[in-house]
Amino acid sequence: MAGETTARPLRADAERSVRLILEAAERLLSKDPGASMEQIATEAGVSRTTIHRRFAHRQALIDALALSAARQLAQAVDDGRPTTAPPLVALHRITANVLEVKGAWTFALSLPATPGTEAAALHETMTEHCLAVLARAREAHLIAPSSDLPWLQRVYYALLGETLHGNPNDPVTDPDALAARVVETFLRGAGGRARD
């Protein structure tokens, strides 16, 4: 992808420090988007030289954070088997997986993907998978035959967003239970009826 280089694989200890840095960056930046590299290093339990060796500057760290989160989200969608699982099963699995990843990487996944990057390509592929699942759901009569799929996709995304951010005191926190609620609300609102 444009502007990206192929990096050599990292040793296990280097991978671990990168993971710690990215997790710390997510925690701090979700509370304070202006957190410094030094604050992130302290939160990660690594030295300033380690964070600067891994990331040349703050934007490189943020780009890596966005890419890591996009990869995890793409894997969550793929694990739901969007093209092979029965549409209702795929919709439920993908919803539960996405809620779990988005709940853990709120800041990183709120960042706009830079056009031409791997992260942008991953988001585009996820959009295509979502539309494919919705098309399969329409063919299975889970949603109305006349449904506008891009509109339904926006409604589905809105339900995911509301589930993640709408009520911090919601007693339901299990991703599968939340997914069941999202899918049921989505399908009934789309004129279909969830099937066992």
Side-chain angles (χ1 to χ4, degrees):
M1 296 293 162
E4 296 180 4
T5 58
T6 303
R8 292 183 317 196
L10 297 174
R11 296 185 331 258
D13 59 335
E15 284 182 13
R16 181 178 176 276
S17 68
V18 167
R19 188 181 72 251
L20 289 172
I21 291 165
L22 294 178
E23 290 170 352
E26 172 63 33
R27 285 193 303 274
L28 281 184
L29 294 171
S30 62
K31 296 175 192 166
D32 175 14
S36 69
M37 294 275 280
E38 288 71 23
Q39 289 172 309
I40 293 168
T42 300
E43 177 74 14
V46 301
S47 68
R48 289 173 57 186
T49 55
T50 297
I51 197 169
H52 287 289
R53 189 169 53 245
R54 300 289 174 233
F55 304 101
H57 45 78
R58 191 172 185 280
Q59 190 57 50
L61 171 58
I62 289 174
D63 290 345
L65 180 61
L67 177 57
S68 175
R71 285 176 175 165
Q72 291 179 61
L73 190 61
Q75 186 62 55
V77 172
D78 286 346
D79 288 348
R81 297 177 26 227
T83 59
T84 58
L88 184 56
V89 172
L91 190 58
H92 178 85
R93 283 184 181 164
I94 290 169
T95 302
N97 294 348
V98 164
L99 287 171
E100 193 163 7
V101 172
K102 281 187 170 250
W105 298 95
T106 305
F107 174 81
L109 290 171
S110 72
L111 299 169
T114 304
T117 62
E118 180 184 346
L122 288 168
H123 283 288
E124 187 175 320
T125 299
M126 287 184 276
T127 296
E128 292 167 2
H129 282 325
C130 182
L131 288 170
V133 170
L134 293 177
R136 293 177 64 228
R138 185 170 60 185
E139 290 167 9
H141 308 290
L142 295 172
I143 57 177
S146 61
S147 296
D148 177 348
L149 297 186
W151 169 252
L152 288 183
Q153 181 183 40
R154 290 172 58 194
V155 170
Y156 173 70
Y157 287 173
L159 286 170
L160 289 174
E162 185 61 25
T163 300
L164 287 165
H165 310 295
N167 180 4
N169 300 317
D170 191 341
V172 180
T173 57
D174 176 66
D176 280 318
L178 291 169
R181 186 164 65 184
V182 167
V183 170
E184 181 179 352
T185 302
F186 176 73
L187 292 179
R188 289 189 178 177
R193 186 177 292 270
R195 298 177 183 175
D196 295 327

